[in-house]
Amino acid sequence: MKGHCEHIIEIEDLHFAYGAKKVLDGIRLRVPRGKVVAILGVSGSGKSTLMNILGCLDRPTSGQYVFEGTDVARMSEPALARIRSARIGFVFQTFNLLARATALRNVELPMVYAGVSLDERREK
């Protein structure tokens, strides 16, 4: 993590397109550290696409996204995975659980990827 930043998220002139279909067109957003933000809009307005970009799951077509002082567009996939693992939390509508795994294993899995020991995982 870079030094203390006033904004945890800074987006400037962000665009995203699926082929010729523009989904996000010139988004500008600043989220101050410690603030809670809601993203609202009608179905098809690009909320999920924006959330995927904010969560470092997708990259914008153009524009800048700075997370905690770092331009994520310049980061490698492994570096983005480390941010997702350590700094960003996801709550999916559909839960995205593994059907063949127990509830405990589904809860443990992100900690396994983060290298948390078995004893610490069980304690948590």
Side-chain angles (χ1 to χ4, degrees):
M1 182 170 109
K2 301 280 182 187
H4 180 77
C5 304
E6 179 183 354
H7 296 99
I8 194 163
I9 291 172
E10 297 181 73
I11 290 178
E12 193 66 44
D13 197 28
L14 189 103
H15 297 259
F16 188 87
Y18 291 108
K21 181 176 171 49
K22 288 183 181 179
V23 179
L24 302 175
D25 190 16
I27 303 292
R28 181 173 186 259
L29 173 69
R30 285 184 171 66
V31 179
R33 187 169 295 283
K35 295 293 180 180
V36 175
V37 175
I39 297 174
L40 306 171
V42 298
S43 179
S45 64
K47 300 178 303 294
S48 293
T49 301
L50 179 59
M51 292 302 295
N52 284 342
I53 291 170
L54 293 175
C56 298
L57 296 170
D58 286 330
R59 293 180 190 255
T61 304
S62 65
Q64 186 177 42
Y65 170 28
V66 176
F67 178 76
E68 293 187 327
T70 301
D71 185 350
V72 298
R74 300 176 187 267
M75 298 179 78
S76 67
E77 285 301 323
L80 290 173
R82 284 190 296 277
I83 284 179
R84 288 190 299 267
S85 175
R87 303 295 305 149
I88 296 173
F90 295 96
V91 178
F92 294 98
Q93 282 179 258
T94 56
F95 306 112
N96 291 340
L97 299 175
L98 301 175
R100 294 188 180 134
T102 65
L104 177 60
R105 185 67 175 163
N106 271 288
V107 171
E108 269 187 323
L109 203 51
M111 291 184 280
V112 170
Y113 294 140
V116 176
S117 72
L118 176 62
D119 290 340
E120 190 177 350
R121 289 194 314 260
R122 295 297 158 95
E123 181 181 320
K124 288 182 178 191

